[in-house]
Amino acid sequence: MISMVEILASVILFLWVVFVVNFLTKNLYEFMRARGMRHNVAVYYNRKVIHMLAGGLVVLLVPFIFKTPIIPLIIASLLGVLTYIPHKTEKLMYWFQTEDNMYEVSFCIMWGVILTLGWLISEGNFWFGVLPIIFMSFGDAITGIVRNMLYKRRTKSWWGNLVMALFTIPVGSILGLAGIFAGVVVSLIEHFEFNPIDDNVTVPLSSFLILALARFYTPWMLTL
């Protein structure tokens, strides 16, 4: 049974995401451009800001608000559609979307799918889905920001992956040895691209599979 608290929280969180995507990052883009930053650099920074403030912050609140992943999955699916439509209509939200990929769409889809699968395999423990999304939201954002600062373009760099590991490994310890191992793996796998599959798929999926295998075969590696 979905409670009124969940419904109210969903509305607030959805409005927060809309604010981040349509107001905060749009104004941040204009601010960066006014100071001479190149379009592609500003766009890339904005994508990482959205990763953290929309995807990351919201998923951290999920275990404390929701009893099931039903509403989060619905909202994530809706956001996936809303970010896909500008590509279909060729009316991109220029301050964070690009013509050459739809990675923000896969971000929304994986956010909802992994959160739901984690809850299902753990019989109601949201953290099995939350941790992979934290890796995708904050970990990937951190490595992206480092790369953007160093190279001023979208590229891969082991420096970024090293910084990502410094985040994902200690955060992964929330779920024990399996979480730590997942943190190591995602910091490595993020470095590689498997077009058309992007790291918004490989990072949460690989870490989720590690946690799922640990859940069923090596539960001693888990603390929750």
Side-chain angles (χ1 to χ4, degrees):
M1 182 73 177
I2 297 174
S3 68
M4 285 303 299
V5 172
E6 289 178 289
I7 294 174
L8 178 60
S10 300
V11 173
I12 294 172
L13 292 175
F14 180 78
L15 291 176
W16 165 251
V17 172
V18 171
F19 168 77
V20 170
V21 172
N22 289 289
F23 180 79
L24 180 63
T25 51
K26 187 175 184 179
N27 282 275
L28 180 59
Y29 172 86
E30 300 299 341
F31 175 82
M32 290 186 287
R33 291 288 285 152
R35 277 149 184 77
M37 188 173 291
R38 296 202 308 271
H39 166 75
N40 64 303
V41 177
V43 165
Y44 198 64
Y45 274 129
N46 265 348
R47 291 168 82 97
K48 301 312 175 184
V49 170
I50 292 171
H51 267 220
M52 294 185 288
L53 294 185
L57 179 60
V58 171
V59 83
L60 285 173
L61 297 174
V62 166
F64 305 103
I65 297 173
F66 298 96
K67 296 177 181 177
T68 74
I70 295 174
I71 295 181
L73 177 61
I74 292 173
I75 292 177
S77 301
L78 175 60
L79 290 170
V81 172
L82 292 176
T83 51
Y84 172 74
I85 290 174
H87 288 280
K88 188 68 174 178
T89 59
E90 298 183 352
K91 296 180 180 179
L92 295 179
M93 290 180 273
Y94 60 87
W95 57 95
F96 78 96
Q97 291 186 309
T98 61
E99 294 180 355
D100 58 332
N101 67 69
M102 294 190 290
Y103 294 165
E104 71 279 5
V105 179
S106 58
F107 181 94
C108 295
I109 294 171
M110 293 304 294
W111 194 101
V113 169
I114 294 297
L115 184 69
T116 302
L117 290 177
W119 186 85
L120 289 173
I121 69 160
S122 63
E123 299 178 351
N125 187 342
F126 270 116
W127 289 100
F128 279 78
V130 169
L131 186 61
I133 297 172
I134 289 175
F135 290 161
M136 174 178 68
S137 300
F138 291 107
D140 180 60
I142 290 170
T143 186
I145 289 171
V146 170
R147 290 196 305 257
N148 214 24
M149 292 174 63
L150 290 175
Y151 304 105
K152 308 300 181 185
R153 59 187 174 88
R154 186 183 183 279
T155 185
K156 296 293 183 179
S157 165
W158 286 113
W159 289 113
N161 294 103
L162 175 61
V163 176
M164 181 177 179
L166 293 175
F167 171 82
T168 56
I169 292 173
V171 170
S173 66
I174 294 171
L175 288 182
L177 290 175
I180 292 173
F181 180 59
V184 173
V185 170
V186 296
S187 65
L188 294 173
I189 202 169
E190 193 280 338
H191 186 80
F192 303 98
E193 292 189 328
F194 308 92
N195 290 325
I197 300 173
D198 64 278
D199 52 22
N200 289 330
V201 176
T202 57
V203 167
L205 182 59
S206 60
S207 52
F208 169 75
L209 290 175
I210 290 170
L211 296 177
L213 289 172
R215 170 78 169 82
F216 293 113
Y217 298 107
T218 56
W220 55 269
M221 294 182 67
L222 296 164
T223 55
L224 291 178

